[in-house]
Structure formats: structure tokens, C-alpha cells
């Protein structure tokens, strides 16, 4: 496999459920990101990991919990979400946080619906 | 003022015409600039990057950067229906580390 792979592609969950989103990159990149994309809004950066260390948390509610066990894998654990959390969640990677010369490679995204 | 502004569109152009997409940004210390294409239901795909003033051409795409006026544009020559998508402008600013700010995107519709 090449590029950035995200699973699942679609997820419907109740407000009391716990679920996890998974992202894997096969590009040898050192930085990984979670973005949220809501309709007609700019991409919102949620979390940044550089060399497995979290370097940024953009005031994201604690019901979203990231995990980065190594430079190739990134998870987003979800619990007690709200309907307004319904959005497209995108994982991205780049060579590293300090040299974004080549921009990001995005995964295919997870379309999350909270009911 | 939004940090990165784009006209939401839709911008409609006939097949074969030049599509011109514009983006303005507010931060003067912006370092690098990107255009992403996002088809409906898909994820963004990087199509162009530009770092210095002037034009950069890649096939049918030309990115133009004017740091003094704080705008960056994307021209698509010989537009095709397959170019119909949302185009996202992204700007990197150095504030300690790097921070990437995205615009909300411009929807482009190329009529056959």
C-alpha cells in the first residue's frame, strides 16, 4: 500500500458510543495531523504529531483523544460525541513539522455522523 | 478579517476557457503557499506549491504569488469538466514552528 490510508471510510455512532479512527502512512513521513472538515468551513487543525510527539492541540475538546504509537500510525479515539461533531475527519502527513515544503498528503477521510 | 480568504463560488467557466482562482491572506510573514484540489466526497490533493514572487507553471496550472499585495492565484488553462472541484488555498506561516492555514475553498464548475 502507498500513501495515507484511513479507516473506516464511514462511521455512524451514538452519543454514548466509543469508537476509534485509524490512519497509517507509508511515505516515511515524520509528522502526522488530524483535521476536521465541516461543510463550507476551512479545514480545522486538531492535533499535530512530530516524530511521535504531540506538538499541537488546537483547543480540541477532551472527547477527542489522539494516539500516535509510532511515526506511521495515528489514531483518534472518540467518546461521548455531540451531533455537531459530525464532519469529515482527515488524516494528513508531511516530511516533518518544520519543513512543509512539499505540503501535506491527505488520507481519504472518515465521514463521521453522530446520532 | 479571515486569515486566508477565498471566494466560495461557484465559479462557472466553459470548457476550454481559463479558470482564475484567487486567494488573499492576512499574515505578512507567510512563507509558502499551496493549492489543493478536492473532488466532492474525496480528500484534498496537493496540485501546486509556490514560495517566491512570480509565476510557477506546471502543465495546465499556473500559480501566481504577489507577497506585497498578499495574494496568490491559480490559473487553469484549457479547463476541462474533470477540473470541476473545490480548490483550497493554504498558507504556511512561521510562528515559532510552522502553522498551515486553509481557506474555505472555491467551487469550480467547468461546463462541457
Amino acid at each position: 500500500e502507498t500513501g495515507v490510508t484511513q479507516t473506516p471510510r464511514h462511521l455512524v455512532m451514538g452519543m454514548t458510543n466509543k469508537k476509534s479512527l485509524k490512519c497509517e502512512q507509508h511515505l516515511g513521513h515524520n509528522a502526522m495531523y488530524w483535521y476536521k472538515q465541516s461543510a463550507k468551513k476551512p479545514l480545522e487543525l486538531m492535533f499535530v504529531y512530530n516524530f511521535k510527539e504531540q506538538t499541537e492541540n488546537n483547543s480540541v475538546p477532551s472527547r477527542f483523544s489522539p494516539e500516535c504509537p509510532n511515526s506511521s500510525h495515528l489514531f483518534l479515539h472518540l467518546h461521548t460525541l455531540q451531533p455537531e461533531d459530525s464532519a469529515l475527519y482527515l488524516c494528513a502527513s508531511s516530511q516533518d513539522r518544520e519543513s512543509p515544503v512539499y505540503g501535506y498528503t491527505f488520507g481519504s477521510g472518515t465521514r463521521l455522523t453522530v446520532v | 478579517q479571515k486569515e486566508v480568504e477565498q471566494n466560495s463560488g461557484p465559479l462557472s467557466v466553459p470548457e476550454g476557457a481559463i479558470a482564475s482562482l484567487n486567494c488573499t491572506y492576512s499574515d505578512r510573514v507567510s512563507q509558502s503557499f499551496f493549492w489543493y484540489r478536492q473532488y466532492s466526497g474525496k480528500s484534498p490533493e496537493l496540485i501546486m506549491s509556490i514560495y517566491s514572487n512570480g509565476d510557477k507553471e506546471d502543465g495546465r496550472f499556473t500559480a501566481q504569488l504577489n507577497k506585497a499585495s498578499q495574494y496568490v492565484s491559480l490559473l487553469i488553462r484549457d479547463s476541462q469538466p474533470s477540473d470541476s472541484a473545490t480548490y483550497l488555498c493554504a498558507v504556511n506561516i512561521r510562528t515559532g514552528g510552522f502553522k498551515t492555514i486553509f481557506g474555505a475553498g472555491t467551487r469550480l464548475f467547468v461546463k462541457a
Side-chain angles (χ1 to χ4, degrees):
Chain A
E1 285 210 49
T2 58
V4 180
T5 305
Q6 275 187 254
T7 54
R9 292 294 304 274
H10 300 274
L11 178 62
V12 179
M13 60 186 289
M15 289 190 282
T16 58
N17 291 161
K18 290 184 181 181
K19 296 286 184 183
S20 296
L21 310 184
K22 179 182 175 182
C23 177
E24 184 175 358
Q25 58 97 1
H26 306 271
L27 300 167
H29 288 168
N30 296 304
M32 297 186 76
Y33 311 79
W34 281 114
Y35 275 91
K36 176 183 178 182
Q37 188 174 38
S38 304
K40 300 190 178 179
K41 288 186 178 179
L43 285 167
E44 299 173 51
L45 179 64
M46 300 175 72
F47 301 104
V48 181
Y49 279 82
N50 198 34
F51 292 92
K52 301 189 305 177
E53 300 298 321
Q54 186 178 129
T55 59
E56 199 160 334
N57 174 340
N58 253 10
S59 303
V60 180
S62 59
R63 57 186 184 270
F64 295 92
S65 174
E67 179 189 358
C68 187
N70 55 61
S71 293
S72 299
H73 294 85
L74 185 64
F75 296 88
L76 187 62
H77 304 299
L78 315 171
H79 65 98
T80 60
L81 294 192
Q82 304 299 310
E84 59 265 28
D85 296 322
S86 299
L88 180 67
Y89 288 84
L90 291 162
C91 174
S93 70
S94 66
Q95 188 60 46
D96 61 60
R97 188 72 178 110
E98 298 303 319
S99 58
V101 174
Y102 302 110
Y104 296 150
T105 301
F106 284 92
S108 53
T110 296
R111 174 68 61 185
L112 173 68
T113 304
V114 181
V115 297
Chain B
Q1 183 187 2
K2 295 177 186 175
E3 294 182 273
V4 177
E5 288 205 60
Q6 295 182 256
N7 188 320
S8 62
L11 172 66
S12 184
V13 301
E15 184 175 359
I18 296 175
S20 178
L21 304 162
N22 299 312
C23 172
T24 58
Y25 58 94
S26 59
D27 198 307
R28 290 190 169 275
V29 298
S30 299
Q31 300 269 323
S32 45
F33 308 83
F34 304 90
W35 284 99
Y36 291 82
R37 177 178 62 200
Q38 187 173 22
Y39 292 115
S40 181
K42 303 292 185 183
S43 60
E45 173 193 12
L46 180 65
I47 55 172
M48 287 288 283
S49 57
I50 187 166
Y51 313 106
S52 52
N53 280 327
D55 294 1
K56 179 182 176 183
E57 189 174 316
D58 184 359
R60 295 187 296 112
F61 298 101
T62 300
Q64 299 175 318
L65 175 61
N66 184 323
K67 289 189 177 181
S69 301
Q70 293 176 241
Y71 83 78
V72 56
S73 61
L74 179 70
L75 302 179
I76 307 175
R77 290 182 299 282
D78 187 24
S79 295
Q80 302 297 309
S82 58
D83 294 324
S84 298
T86 296
Y87 290 81
L88 307 178
C89 172
V91 175
N92 271 4
I93 23 180
R94 188 166 191 121
T95 54
F98 280 98
K99 182 178 177 183
T100 301
I101 311 294
F102 283 85
T106 298
R107 280 187 57 207
L108 172 66
F109 179 61
V110 180
K111 298 175 291 185

mmCIF file of all heavy atoms in Angstrom, chain B residues 11-50:
data_model
loop_
_atom_site.group_PDB
_atom_site.id
_atom_site.type_symbol
_atom_site.label_atom_id
_atom_site.label_comp_id
_atom_site.label_asym_id
_atom_site.label_seq_id
_atom_site.Cartn_x
_atom_site.Cartn_y
_atom_site.Cartn_z
ATOM 1 N N LEU B 11 -17.634 29.178 -9.191
ATOM 2 C CA LEU B 11 -17.102 29.830 -10.368
ATOM 3 C C LEU B 11 -17.392 28.913 -11.546
ATOM 4 O O LEU B 11 -16.992 27.757 -11.535
ATOM 5 C CB LEU B 11 -15.588 30.030 -10.220
ATOM 6 C CG LEU B 11 -14.832 30.529 -11.442
ATOM 7 C CD1 LEU B 11 -15.274 31.937 -11.789
ATOM 8 C CD2 LEU B 11 -13.322 30.487 -11.189
ATOM 9 N N SER B 12 -18.109 29.424 -12.517
ATOM 10 C CA SER B 12 -18.508 28.607 -13.654
ATOM 11 C C SER B 12 -17.799 29.107 -14.899
ATOM 12 O O SER B 12 -17.859 30.302 -15.226
ATOM 13 C CB SER B 12 -20.030 28.680 -13.835
ATOM 14 O OG SER B 12 -20.448 27.831 -14.871
ATOM 15 N N VAL B 13 -17.097 28.218 -15.595
ATOM 16 C CA VAL B 13 -16.396 28.584 -16.827
ATOM 17 C C VAL B 13 -16.714 27.547 -17.897
ATOM 18 O O VAL B 13 -16.970 26.382 -17.583
ATOM 19 C CB VAL B 13 -14.863 28.679 -16.630
ATOM 20 C CG1 VAL B 13 -14.515 29.720 -15.578
ATOM 21 C CG2 VAL B 13 -14.262 27.340 -16.283
ATOM 22 N N PRO B 14 -16.710 27.944 -19.176
ATOM 23 C CA PRO B 14 -16.936 26.966 -20.241
ATOM 24 C C PRO B 14 -15.684 26.133 -20.483
ATOM 25 O O PRO B 14 -14.560 26.564 -20.214
ATOM 26 C CB PRO B 14 -17.277 27.838 -21.455
ATOM 27 C CG PRO B 14 -16.614 29.134 -21.171
ATOM 28 C CD PRO B 14 -16.615 29.313 -19.695
ATOM 29 N N GLU B 15 -15.894 24.943 -20.987
ATOM 30 C CA GLU B 15 -14.769 24.066 -21.327
ATOM 31 C C GLU B 15 -13.823 24.782 -22.276
ATOM 32 O O GLU B 15 -14.244 25.441 -23.234
ATOM 33 C CB GLU B 15 -15.290 22.779 -21.971
ATOM 34 C CG GLU B 15 -14.210 21.752 -22.271
ATOM 35 C CD GLU B 15 -14.791 20.444 -22.795
ATOM 36 O OE1 GLU B 15 -16.033 20.346 -22.895
ATOM 37 O OE2 GLU B 15 -14.007 19.522 -23.096
ATOM 38 N N GLY B 16 -12.524 24.660 -22.013
ATOM 39 C CA GLY B 16 -11.519 25.290 -22.854
ATOM 40 C C GLY B 16 -11.099 26.683 -22.411
ATOM 41 O O GLY B 16 -10.082 27.207 -22.874
ATOM 42 N N ALA B 17 -11.855 27.281 -21.501
ATOM 43 C CA ALA B 17 -11.541 28.634 -21.023
ATOM 44 C C ALA B 17 -10.485 28.577 -19.925
ATOM 45 O O ALA B 17 -10.091 27.504 -19.453
ATOM 46 C CB ALA B 17 -12.812 29.303 -20.497
ATOM 47 N N ILE B 18 -10.022 29.756 -19.531
ATOM 48 C CA ILE B 18 -9.090 29.859 -18.401
ATOM 49 C C ILE B 18 -9.898 30.114 -17.126
ATOM 50 O O ILE B 18 -10.693 31.046 -17.061
ATOM 51 C CB ILE B 18 -8.091 31.005 -18.603
ATOM 52 C CG1 ILE B 18 -7.192 30.734 -19.810
ATOM 53 C CG2 ILE B 18 -7.224 31.184 -17.344
ATOM 54 C CD1 ILE B 18 -6.248 31.877 -20.147
ATOM 55 N N ALA B 19 -9.671 29.284 -16.140
ATOM 56 C CA ALA B 19 -10.299 29.500 -14.819
ATOM 57 C C ALA B 19 -9.285 30.199 -13.922
ATOM 58 O O ALA B 19 -8.121 29.789 -13.854
ATOM 59 C CB ALA B 19 -10.724 28.167 -14.199
ATOM 60 N N SER B 20 -9.729 31.251 -13.263
ATOM 61 C CA SER B 20 -8.844 32.026 -12.394
ATOM 62 C C SER B 20 -9.377 31.990 -10.963
ATOM 63 O O SER B 20 -10.486 32.456 -10.701
ATOM 64 C CB SER B 20 -8.766 33.472 -12.897
ATOM 65 O OG SER B 20 -7.942 34.242 -12.035
ATOM 66 N N LEU B 21 -8.583 31.447 -10.073
ATOM 67 C CA LEU B 21 -8.980 31.303 -8.674
ATOM 68 C C LEU B 21 -8.058 32.171 -7.820
ATOM 69 O O LEU B 21 -6.842 32.140 -8.002
ATOM 70 C CB LEU B 21 -8.862 29.833 -8.248
ATOM 71 C CG LEU B 21 -9.651 28.846 -9.113
ATOM 72 C CD1 LEU B 21 -9.148 27.436 -8.926
ATOM 73 C CD2 LEU B 21 -11.117 28.929 -8.783
ATOM 74 N N ASN B 22 -8.641 32.925 -6.922
ATOM 75 C CA ASN B 22 -7.863 33.879 -6.141
ATOM 76 C C ASN B 22 -7.922 33.611 -4.647
ATOM 77 O O ASN B 22 -8.908 33.052 -4.145
ATOM 78 C CB ASN B 22 -8.361 35.296 -6.411
ATOM 79 C CG ASN B 22 -8.215 35.675 -7.877
ATOM 80 O OD1 ASN B 22 -7.169 35.467 -8.473
ATOM 81 N ND2 ASN B 22 -9.277 36.195 -8.453
ATOM 82 N N CYS B 23 -6.883 34.037 -3.967
ATOM 83 C CA CYS B 23 -6.777 33.809 -2.525
ATOM 84 C C CYS B 23 -6.001 34.985 -1.933
ATOM 85 O O CYS B 23 -4.961 35.371 -2.488
ATOM 86 C CB CYS B 23 -6.035 32.485 -2.304
ATOM 87 S SG CYS B 23 -5.588 32.107 -0.603
ATOM 88 N N THR B 24 -6.488 35.551 -0.854
ATOM 89 C CA THR B 24 -5.740 36.585 -0.150
ATOM 90 C C THR B 24 -5.464 36.118 1.268
ATOM 91 O O THR B 24 -6.214 35.315 1.824
ATOM 92 C CB THR B 24 -6.507 37.919 -0.114
ATOM 93 O OG1 THR B 24 -7.782 37.701 0.513
ATOM 94 C CG2 THR B 24 -6.714 38.474 -1.503
ATOM 95 N N TYR B 25 -4.381 36.596 1.828
ATOM 96 C CA TYR B 25 -4.011 36.179 3.166
ATOM 97 C C TYR B 25 -3.594 37.397 3.973
ATOM 98 O O TYR B 25 -3.191 38.426 3.419
ATOM 99 C CB TYR B 25 -2.893 35.127 3.127
ATOM 100 C CG TYR B 25 -1.632 35.579 2.437
ATOM 101 C CD1 TYR B 25 -0.570 36.140 3.161
ATOM 102 C CD2 TYR B 25 -1.493 35.456 1.062
ATOM 103 C CE1 TYR B 25 0.586 36.556 2.527
ATOM 104 C CE2 TYR B 25 -0.338 35.884 0.421
ATOM 105 C CZ TYR B 25 0.689 36.421 1.149
ATOM 106 O OH TYR B 25 1.831 36.841 0.522
ATOM 107 N N SER B 26 -3.699 37.289 5.265
ATOM 108 C CA SER B 26 -3.524 38.466 6.105
ATOM 109 C C SER B 26 -2.150 38.543 6.766
ATOM 110 O O SER B 26 -1.729 39.623 7.179
ATOM 111 C CB SER B 26 -4.603 38.496 7.191
ATOM 112 O OG SER B 26 -4.528 37.335 7.991
ATOM 113 N N ASP B 27 -1.435 37.422 6.841
ATOM 114 C CA ASP B 27 -0.207 37.424 7.621
ATOM 115 C C ASP B 27 1.006 37.674 6.737
ATOM 116 O O ASP B 27 1.295 36.886 5.829
ATOM 117 C CB ASP B 27 -0.038 36.092 8.357
ATOM 118 C CG ASP B 27 0.956 36.198 9.486
ATOM 119 O OD1 ASP B 27 2.086 36.656 9.237
ATOM 120 O OD2 ASP B 27 0.606 35.831 10.618
ATOM 121 N N ARG B 28 1.727 38.752 7.012
ATOM 122 C CA ARG B 28 2.837 39.131 6.152
ATOM 123 C C ARG B 28 4.037 38.204 6.278
ATOM 124 O O ARG B 28 4.919 38.232 5.422
ATOM 125 C CB ARG B 28 3.273 40.563 6.466
ATOM 126 C CG ARG B 28 2.239 41.591 6.013
ATOM 127 C CD ARG B 28 2.799 43.004 6.107
ATOM 128 N NE ARG B 28 1.918 43.948 5.443
ATOM 129 C CZ ARG B 28 1.968 44.206 4.137
ATOM 130 N NH1 ARG B 28 2.856 43.614 3.386
ATOM 131 N NH2 ARG B 28 1.134 45.072 3.597
ATOM 132 N N VAL B 29 4.093 37.400 7.330
ATOM 133 C CA VAL B 29 5.252 36.511 7.466
ATOM 134 C C VAL B 29 4.992 35.146 6.844
ATOM 135 O O VAL B 29 5.713 34.201 7.107
ATOM 136 C CB VAL B 29 5.680 36.351 8.944
ATOM 137 C CG1 VAL B 29 6.099 37.670 9.523
ATOM 138 C CG2 VAL B 29 4.578 35.703 9.768
ATOM 139 N N SER B 30 3.962 35.060 6.012
ATOM 140 C CA SER B 30 3.669 33.795 5.338
ATOM 141 C C SER B 30 4.853 33.366 4.483
ATOM 142 O O SER B 30 5.478 34.172 3.812
ATOM 143 C CB SER B 30 2.416 33.936 4.473
ATOM 144 O OG SER B 30 1.303 34.258 5.278
ATOM 145 N N GLN B 31 5.129 32.063 4.536
ATOM 146 C CA GLN B 31 6.354 31.547 3.940
ATOM 147 C C GLN B 31 6.122 30.808 2.636
ATOM 148 O O GLN B 31 6.880 30.938 1.699
ATOM 149 C CB GLN B 31 7.003 30.562 4.924
ATOM 150 C CG GLN B 31 7.354 31.190 6.249
ATOM 151 C CD GLN B 31 8.752 31.736 6.253
ATOM 152 O OE1 GLN B 31 9.639 31.142 5.675
ATOM 153 N NE2 GLN B 31 8.954 32.874 6.889
ATOM 154 N N SER B 32 5.101 29.952 2.637
ATOM 155 C CA SER B 32 4.874 29.108 1.467
ATOM 156 C C SER B 32 3.375 28.929 1.273
ATOM 157 O O SER B 32 2.591 29.077 2.204
ATOM 158 C CB SER B 32 5.589 27.759 1.622
ATOM 159 O OG SER B 32 5.384 27.217 2.897
ATOM 160 N N PHE B 33 3.041 28.616 0.039
ATOM 161 C CA PHE B 33 1.646 28.699 -0.390
ATOM 162 C C PHE B 33 1.307 27.477 -1.233
ATOM 163 O O PHE B 33 2.129 27.025 -2.046
ATOM 164 C CB PHE B 33 1.433 29.982 -1.207
ATOM 165 C CG PHE B 33 1.925 31.200 -0.486
ATOM 166 C CD1 PHE B 33 3.265 31.547 -0.530
ATOM 167 C CD2 PHE B 33 1.065 31.970 0.265
ATOM 168 C CE1 PHE B 33 3.740 32.649 0.166
ATOM 169 C CE2 PHE B 33 1.533 33.076 0.970
ATOM 170 C CZ PHE B 33 2.868 33.408 0.916
ATOM 171 N N PHE B 34 0.103 26.966 -1.035
ATOM 172 C CA PHE B 34 -0.277 25.717 -1.691
ATOM 173 C C PHE B 34 -1.691 25.816 -2.236
ATOM 174 O O PHE B 34 -2.549 26.506 -1.678
ATOM 175 C CB PHE B 34 -0.227 24.551 -0.681
ATOM 176 C CG PHE B 34 1.108 24.378 -0.006
ATOM 177 C CD1 PHE B 34 1.387 25.043 1.173
ATOM 178 C CD2 PHE B 34 2.081 23.581 -0.573
ATOM 179 C CE1 PHE B 34 2.618 24.904 1.787
ATOM 180 C CE2 PHE B 34 3.321 23.440 0.044
ATOM 181 C CZ PHE B 34 3.577 24.095 1.235
ATOM 182 N N TRP B 35 -1.909 25.080 -3.313
ATOM 183 C CA TRP B 35 -3.257 24.870 -3.833
ATOM 184 C C TRP B 35 -3.561 23.380 -3.791
ATOM 185 O O TRP B 35 -2.763 22.567 -4.268
ATOM 186 C CB TRP B 35 -3.387 25.386 -5.264
ATOM 187 C CG TRP B 35 -3.477 26.877 -5.355
ATOM 188 C CD1 TRP B 35 -2.482 27.753 -5.641
ATOM 189 C CD2 TRP B 35 -4.665 27.663 -5.156
ATOM 190 N NE1 TRP B 35 -2.962 29.036 -5.625
ATOM 191 C CE2 TRP B 35 -4.305 29.010 -5.330
ATOM 192 C CE3 TRP B 35 -5.994 27.362 -4.846
ATOM 193 C CZ2 TRP B 35 -5.213 30.062 -5.210
ATOM 194 C CZ3 TRP B 35 -6.900 28.406 -4.724
ATOM 195 C CH2 TRP B 35 -6.507 29.742 -4.901
ATOM 196 N N TYR B 36 -4.722 23.058 -3.209
ATOM 197 C CA TYR B 36 -5.209 21.686 -3.150
ATOM 198 C C TYR B 36 -6.510 21.616 -3.945
ATOM 199 O O TYR B 36 -7.324 22.538 -3.922
ATOM 200 C CB TYR B 36 -5.486 21.248 -1.711
ATOM 201 C CG TYR B 36 -4.254 21.080 -0.843
ATOM 202 C CD1 TYR B 36 -3.651 22.178 -0.238
ATOM 203 C CD2 TYR B 36 -3.703 19.820 -0.634
ATOM 204 C CE1 TYR B 36 -2.524 22.025 0.553
ATOM 205 C CE2 TYR B 36 -2.580 19.652 0.165
ATOM 206 C CZ TYR B 36 -2.002 20.765 0.758
ATOM 207 O OH TYR B 36 -0.882 20.603 1.550
ATOM 208 N N ARG B 37 -6.710 20.501 -4.595
ATOM 209 C CA ARG B 37 -7.956 20.224 -5.303
ATOM 210 C C ARG B 37 -8.714 19.164 -4.525
ATOM 211 O O ARG B 37 -8.132 18.156 -4.118
ATOM 212 C CB ARG B 37 -7.665 19.720 -6.716
ATOM 213 C CG ARG B 37 -8.886 19.325 -7.531
ATOM 214 C CD ARG B 37 -8.466 18.900 -8.932
ATOM 215 N NE ARG B 37 -7.594 17.740 -8.893
ATOM 216 C CZ ARG B 37 -6.784 17.395 -9.892
ATOM 217 N NH1 ARG B 37 -6.714 18.128 -10.982
ATOM 218 N NH2 ARG B 37 -6.035 16.324 -9.781
ATOM 219 N N GLN B 38 -10.008 19.381 -4.316
ATOM 220 C CA GLN B 38 -10.824 18.420 -3.586
ATOM 221 C C GLN B 38 -12.091 18.131 -4.373
ATOM 222 O O GLN B 38 -12.975 18.976 -4.507
ATOM 223 C CB GLN B 38 -11.188 18.940 -2.186
ATOM 224 C CG GLN B 38 -11.905 17.913 -1.322
ATOM 225 C CD GLN B 38 -12.097 18.385 0.112
ATOM 226 O OE1 GLN B 38 -12.072 19.570 0.408
ATOM 227 N NE2 GLN B 38 -12.290 17.436 1.032
ATOM 228 N N TYR B 39 -12.166 16.923 -4.913
ATOM 229 C CA TYR B 39 -13.382 16.483 -5.571
ATOM 230 C C TYR B 39 -14.432 16.169 -4.514
ATOM 231 O O TYR B 39 -14.101 15.816 -3.381
ATOM 232 C CB TYR B 39 -13.125 15.250 -6.436
ATOM 233 C CG TYR B 39 -12.254 15.508 -7.644
ATOM 234 C CD1 TYR B 39 -10.991 14.924 -7.760
ATOM 235 C CD2 TYR B 39 -12.700 16.321 -8.676
ATOM 236 C CE1 TYR B 39 -10.194 15.156 -8.876
ATOM 237 C CE2 TYR B 39 -11.906 16.560 -9.791
ATOM 238 C CZ TYR B 39 -10.659 15.981 -9.882
ATOM 239 O OH TYR B 39 -9.883 16.210 -10.980
ATOM 240 N N SER B 40 -15.684 16.274 -4.914
ATOM 241 C CA SER B 40 -16.793 16.041 -3.994
ATOM 242 C C SER B 40 -16.697 14.651 -3.367
ATOM 243 O O SER B 40 -16.556 13.645 -4.069
ATOM 244 C CB SER B 40 -18.118 16.185 -4.752
ATOM 245 O OG SER B 40 -19.202 15.979 -3.882
ATOM 246 N N GLY B 41 -16.728 14.594 -2.051
ATOM 247 C CA GLY B 41 -16.661 13.321 -1.349
ATOM 248 C C GLY B 41 -15.269 12.735 -1.228
ATOM 249 O O GLY B 41 -15.107 11.623 -0.721
ATOM 250 N N LYS B 42 -14.272 13.471 -1.690
ATOM 251 C CA LYS B 42 -12.891 12.975 -1.635
ATOM 252 C C LYS B 42 -12.049 13.872 -0.741
ATOM 253 O O LYS B 42 -12.515 14.899 -0.240
ATOM 254 C CB LYS B 42 -12.283 12.950 -3.047
ATOM 255 C CG LYS B 42 -13.056 12.119 -4.039
ATOM 256 C CD LYS B 42 -12.989 10.648 -3.708
ATOM 257 C CE LYS B 42 -13.662 9.800 -4.777
ATOM 258 N NZ LYS B 42 -13.668 8.366 -4.416
ATOM 259 N N SER B 43 -10.795 13.485 -0.546
ATOM 260 C CA SER B 43 -9.894 14.274 0.287
ATOM 261 C C SER B 43 -9.091 15.250 -0.577
ATOM 262 O O SER B 43 -8.987 15.069 -1.790
ATOM 263 C CB SER B 43 -8.965 13.339 1.055
ATOM 264 O OG SER B 43 -8.207 12.565 0.158
ATOM 265 N N PRO B 44 -8.532 16.289 0.032
ATOM 266 C CA PRO B 44 -7.734 17.258 -0.732
ATOM 267 C C PRO B 44 -6.469 16.612 -1.307
ATOM 268 O O PRO B 44 -5.853 15.749 -0.674
ATOM 269 C CB PRO B 44 -7.375 18.321 0.314
ATOM 270 C CG PRO B 44 -8.380 18.151 1.400
ATOM 271 C CD PRO B 44 -8.691 16.693 1.436
ATOM 272 N N GLU B 45 -6.090 17.089 -2.485
ATOM 273 C CA GLU B 45 -4.906 16.593 -3.174
ATOM 274 C C GLU B 45 -4.050 17.793 -3.546
ATOM 275 O O GLU B 45 -4.532 18.734 -4.180
ATOM 276 C CB GLU B 45 -5.340 15.834 -4.434
ATOM 277 C CG GLU B 45 -4.212 15.411 -5.345
ATOM 278 C CD GLU B 45 -4.735 14.954 -6.693
ATOM 279 O OE1 GLU B 45 -5.920 15.178 -6.996
ATOM 280 O OE2 GLU B 45 -3.949 14.388 -7.460
ATOM 281 N N LEU B 46 -2.788 17.776 -3.179
ATOM 282 C CA LEU B 46 -1.898 18.890 -3.478
ATOM 283 C C LEU B 46 -1.632 18.959 -4.978
ATOM 284 O O LEU B 46 -1.230 17.961 -5.599
ATOM 285 C CB LEU B 46 -0.581 18.708 -2.730
ATOM 286 C CG LEU B 46 0.471 19.793 -2.932
ATOM 287 C CD1 LEU B 46 -0.010 21.125 -2.370
ATOM 288 C CD2 LEU B 46 1.787 19.386 -2.282
ATOM 289 N N ILE B 47 -1.854 20.134 -5.579
ATOM 290 C CA ILE B 47 -1.595 20.272 -7.008
ATOM 291 C C ILE B 47 -0.512 21.285 -7.314
ATOM 292 O O ILE B 47 0.148 21.189 -8.353
ATOM 293 C CB ILE B 47 -2.880 20.597 -7.807
ATOM 294 C CG1 ILE B 47 -3.584 21.836 -7.260
ATOM 295 C CG2 ILE B 47 -3.817 19.407 -7.833
ATOM 296 C CD1 ILE B 47 -4.740 22.305 -8.136
ATOM 297 N N MET B 48 -0.323 22.293 -6.461
ATOM 298 C CA MET B 48 0.694 23.305 -6.728
ATOM 299 C C MET B 48 1.236 23.857 -5.424
ATOM 300 O O MET B 48 0.497 23.993 -4.443
ATOM 301 C CB MET B 48 0.126 24.480 -7.535
ATOM 302 C CG MET B 48 -0.166 24.188 -8.987
ATOM 303 S SD MET B 48 1.325 24.019 -9.969
ATOM 304 C CE MET B 48 1.807 25.731 -10.157
ATOM 305 N N SER B 49 2.507 24.218 -5.425
ATOM 306 C CA SER B 49 3.103 24.932 -4.315
ATOM 307 C C SER B 49 3.949 26.066 -4.890
ATOM 308 O O SER B 49 4.482 25.938 -6.002
ATOM 309 C CB SER B 49 3.975 23.997 -3.472
ATOM 310 O OG SER B 49 4.965 23.389 -4.270
ATOM 311 N N ILE B 50 4.048 27.167 -4.171
ATOM 312 C CA ILE B 50 4.834 28.301 -4.641
ATOM 313 C C ILE B 50 5.405 29.025 -3.434
ATOM 314 O O ILE B 50 4.732 29.152 -2.391
ATOM 315 C CB ILE B 50 3.985 29.231 -5.543
ATOM 316 C CG1 ILE B 50 4.848 30.331 -6.168
ATOM 317 C CG2 ILE B 50 2.790 29.805 -4.794
ATOM 318 C CD1 ILE B 50 4.166 31.069 -7.322
#
